[in-house]
Amino acid sequence: MQRLGIDVGGTFTDIVIFDGETWRIDKVPTTPDDQSRAIVNALHRLGVPPETPIVHGTTVATNALLERRGARTALITTQGFRDVLAIGRQHRPFLYRLAQHRPPPLVPDEWRLEVPERIGADGRVLEPLDEEAVRRLAARLAESDRESVAVVLLFSFLDSRHEERIAEIMKVYVPGLPISLSSDILPEYREYERTATTVVDAYVRPPVHRYLTRLAEGVGKRPVWLMQSNGGIISVEQAAQQAARLLLSGPAGGVVGAFHLAQIAMETDAPRIITLDMGGTSTDVALCPGDIPTTTETEIDGVPIRLPMLDIHTVGAGGGSLVQLDEGGALRVGPRSAGALPGPVCYGRGGTIPTVTDANLVAGRLDAAYFLGGRGEIRPDVAAARAALAALGERLGLSAEGAALGVLRVANATMERAVRRVSVERGCDPREYVLVPFGGAGPLHACELADTLGIRHVMVPPTPGVLSALGLLLADLTTDHVQAVLALADDLRHDDTPVQHALAAARARVEAHLAAQGIQAPRLHAWLDMRYRGQSYERAVPLTLPYTHEHLAQAIDAFHALHQQRYGYAMPSESVEVVAVRVRGVGHMPRPAMPQLPPATTPVEAACIGRKLVWFTLDAPYETPIYARAKLHAGHRFGGPAIVVQFDSTIVVPPAWQARVDAWGMLWLEQRSE
């Protein structure tokens, strides 16, 4: 049961160690030039046994895509379709902006290559593959600087033989060149999304492989698992082969951890929570209406990614988000971040532009003496932060404290919009949910954010600052696969053979992947992607397993109900199309037991370790008690204003809120009834 969870963030690398009985946590500064250096240094410092398995969340794939520092990639596609990647969709990110600017394609024009071949819409071969043309392209690639290649042929999701043959030829002429096939990555229709996703996989695969190689050299013979975007873990080998599955590796761990802890504390298998993960660079929010939400439609920096991912919305508001005035004199927070280097001004590493962390420090909500447990690795410089906020305030006609409160208000507004995006805009009332804040900065802002949204209950986990790393230890081994169907439900009612064949093919792929990891009897889940005929988007509808013909009719009825819930209308008389079958296989991993807190035997005042002035409004600061979370036990209660300090985070309880500790160590923050 000894396991190690490591989550790399923009500012800190979080570590959770479970040795079978006790938990240990740590935070070390991230090393942006090579994330594995921080990990190796932490392993040596903590004295982790060499056989301890590691479950790891990484941002290497995400950073490579966002910073456009991926591999030099080539694309091979069907003759006549080389410009699919450049044409894209008629999507306007900014509806009223006259000049729309899209990021350039990941593959430049001269390396979007064509081969004569054609598979028809019915799956028949209309034109055989010109293997001689493939050999000429392979020779050209062998003499080039290309580091990877994506192969995306028309209708290869119905018949993959041409893509597979291209890969065979490439391996002969260009051995060692990573090859991403769309029939492996995304065997479903939508030519642009399939092309874009496969190209992204090829683009991030070499940097991910290089990182995993360095990591393996640093951690030695320790088994390593990677968190993927769908909330499950995969082996290093599979991650290296399908690197695009790591694009939301880091944020996924936090949602998994928050949901699992909510199940325990709320004593239900289907808690309704909103997760708020505020780290150093960004804030990630997710709405969990009784389960962990997933989606197959995600866009990262203008590039569509059609792979199973947790449904997480990200905004550029983190502790390290830079604060500036725009051309109109308005206060702006993010999306640029100070990162780990130089970091906030108060870190004393060369930062000159104030950040959200500096604002919290000047407002008194962060305390320099208790930052990171007060162990001295980073001792925030309050004077430097105050000077930076004073300079900003002078331009706004405010004091340093006034500028700090303004920064916090703007950051909260950004996060409020993110929560509304995943709740109100989807027909869900956030007042019916519990807010679960985590990340180093989440508990600092949770109550004020809940106030604006009408949320009355906030649940702060025992170790919020490292919850994403803890979530890695609670995740299961998971593999997803999709198979195209493209048939009308009316036809399938009479003959559901296409569904049966697609289900069998997807199931076989999933079971083979898990069998390679030693999972022989995985738990299987299935969905049908369905839509009304003529629609351009689908809804995933659960499909009962083991499948029978009656389950198809049940899925069709469920589709109408889900469509009504999400979009406010349904059309039961219209034809329904089954687009694809999705299968997920889950191999359960042993989950560490969560410890309970002993009941309180002393009054809560015994946990008070000091008092300080904290700014909540511009009128005057509040004299506020500081509580040590390590001294809080089950049953303790206290009212706001209060500050709760712990090694990995700081919790702010505003004046109109109160706090209580439950048996699992959760700190429940609730609005006072009066």
Side-chain angles (χ1 to χ4, degrees), residues 486-644:
L486 295 175
L488 291 176
D490 291 340
D491 297 334
L492 294 173
R493 290 181 189 271
H494 302 291
D495 180 11
D496 64 349
T497 301
V499 171
Q500 293 186 35
H501 286 173
L503 184 60
R507 178 172 180 168
R509 291 284 293 270
V510 165
E511 291 179 334
H513 273 300
L514 291 175
Q517 311 305 319
I519 305 295
Q520 299 300 326
R523 189 177 66 189
L524 298 175
H525 306 271
W527 297 265
L528 294 179
D529 281 0
M530 308 175 77
R531 64 184 181 187
Y532 290 118
R533 190 175 187 180
Q535 281 184 329
S536 59
Y537 52 89
E538 300 85 43
R539 290 289 290 164
V541 181
L543 181 66
T544 303
L545 295 179
Y547 171 76
T548 65
H549 186 70
E550 290 75 18
H551 295 148
L552 177 64
Q554 295 172 7
I556 295 171
D557 292 339
F559 166 73
H560 294 303
L562 285 172
H563 201 282
Q564 175 71 44
Q565 177 188 6
R566 180 64 180 270
Y567 303 109
Y569 72 97
M571 299 183 292
S573 61
E574 294 293 325
S575 296
V576 175
E577 187 176 12
V578 178
V579 177
V581 171
R582 299 184 183 276
V583 174
R584 170 173 293 177
V586 179
H588 286 296
M589 302 292 283
R591 287 183 173 177
M594 301 303 298
Q596 287 187 283
L597 279 185
T601 58
T602 58
V604 71
E605 287 75 17
C608 183
I609 57 176
R611 306 182 77 87
K612 66 177 302 186
L613 295 178
V614 179
W615 291 83
F616 292 97
T617 69
L618 281 175
D619 298 330
Y622 285 72
E623 185 176 349
T624 304
I626 302 174
Y627 294 92
R629 191 163 189 185
K631 296 183 178 182
L632 293 174
H633 298 292
H636 273 151
R637 296 173 178 268
F638 55 92
I643 301 294
V644 182

Side-chain angles (χ1 to χ4, degrees), residues 331-510:
L331 190 63
R332 298 292 181 187
V333 176
R336 290 179 55 227
S337 171
L341 287 174
V345 174
C346 63
Y347 284 10
R349 295 177 173 175
T352 57
I353 302 175
T355 66
V356 175
T357 295
D358 297 309
N360 274 307
L361 191 65
V362 170
R365 304 182 183 196
L366 273 177
D367 194 291
Y370 300 107
F371 191 79
L372 285 181
R375 68 185 186 188
E377 286 189 8
I378 298 179
R379 187 65 179 265
D381 186 340
V382 180
R386 184 179 299 279
L389 266 300
L392 178 68
E394 186 176 351
R395 300 171 63 187
L396 295 169
L398 296 170
S399 64
E401 290 78 11
L405 291 178
V407 169
L408 300 181
R409 192 170 300 166
V410 172
N412 289 342
T414 301
M415 291 184 283
E416 179 191 351
R417 288 195 296 270
V419 174
R420 291 187 183 278
R421 175 89 176 261
V422 301
S423 58
V424 176
E425 293 183 15
R426 300 180 182 181
C428 297
D429 188 344
R431 294 173 297 182
E432 298 175 357
Y433 290 75
V434 172
L435 183 65
V436 183
F438 53 96
L444 283 162
H445 297 255
C447 289
E448 290 183 337
L449 180 61
D451 258 332
T452 62
L453 293 164
I455 297 174
R456 296 188 60 85
H457 303 282
V458 175
M459 187 191 85
V460 184
T463 54
V466 296
L467 185 66
S468 292
L470 174 61
L472 301 175
L473 302 184
L474 302 172
D476 291 319
L477 192 66
T478 305
T479 295
D480 290 283
H481 192 70
V482 61
Q483 199 70 33
V485 176
L486 295 175
L488 291 176
D490 291 340
D491 297 334
L492 294 173
R493 290 181 189 271
H494 302 291
D495 180 11
D496 64 349
T497 301
V499 171
Q500 293 186 35
H501 286 173
L503 184 60
R507 178 172 180 168
R509 291 284 293 270
V510 165

Side-chain angles (χ1 to χ4, degrees), residues 30-82:
T30 293
T31 48
D33 59 315
D34 180 4
Q35 294 181 2
S36 66
R37 285 200 300 111
I39 295 173
V40 174
N41 293 340
L43 292 178
H44 290 317
R45 189 179 75 184
L46 296 171
V48 180
E51 68 279 0
T52 304
I54 293 174
V55 187
H56 180 27
T58 177
T59 58
V60 169
T62 314
N63 292 344
L65 180 58
L66 292 177
E67 298 170 5
R68 292 298 192 269
R69 285 163 45 173
R72 294 183 292 272
T73 305
L75 169 65
I76 297 177
T77 189
T78 303
Q79 191 171 49
F81 290 85
R82 64 186 300 274

Side-chain angles (χ1 to χ4, degrees), residues 221-305:
K221 297 182 179 180
R222 292 183 176 88
V224 178
W225 305 86
L226 276 297
M227 172 60 81
Q228 52 183 330
S229 304
N230 65 5
I233 59 176
I234 53 176
S235 66
V236 169
E237 293 76 18
Q238 187 177 353
Q241 292 296 318
Q242 296 189 350
R245 295 186 180 274
L246 303 181
L247 284 169
L248 288 183
S249 173
V255 178
V256 172
F259 189 80
H260 179 72
L261 294 186
Q263 285 179 313
I264 295 174
M266 299 169 67
E267 298 181 347
T268 175
D269 290 333
R272 295 162 64 86
I273 64 172
I274 297 174
T275 66
L276 176 78
D277 180 4
M278 185 177 183
T281 304
S282 61
T283 295
D284 305 306
V285 297
L287 181 133
C288 302
D291 57 7
I292 297 178
T294 58
T295 182
T296 57
E297 298 180 5
T298 303
E299 188 173 283
I300 299 178
D301 197 28
V303 180
I305 312 294

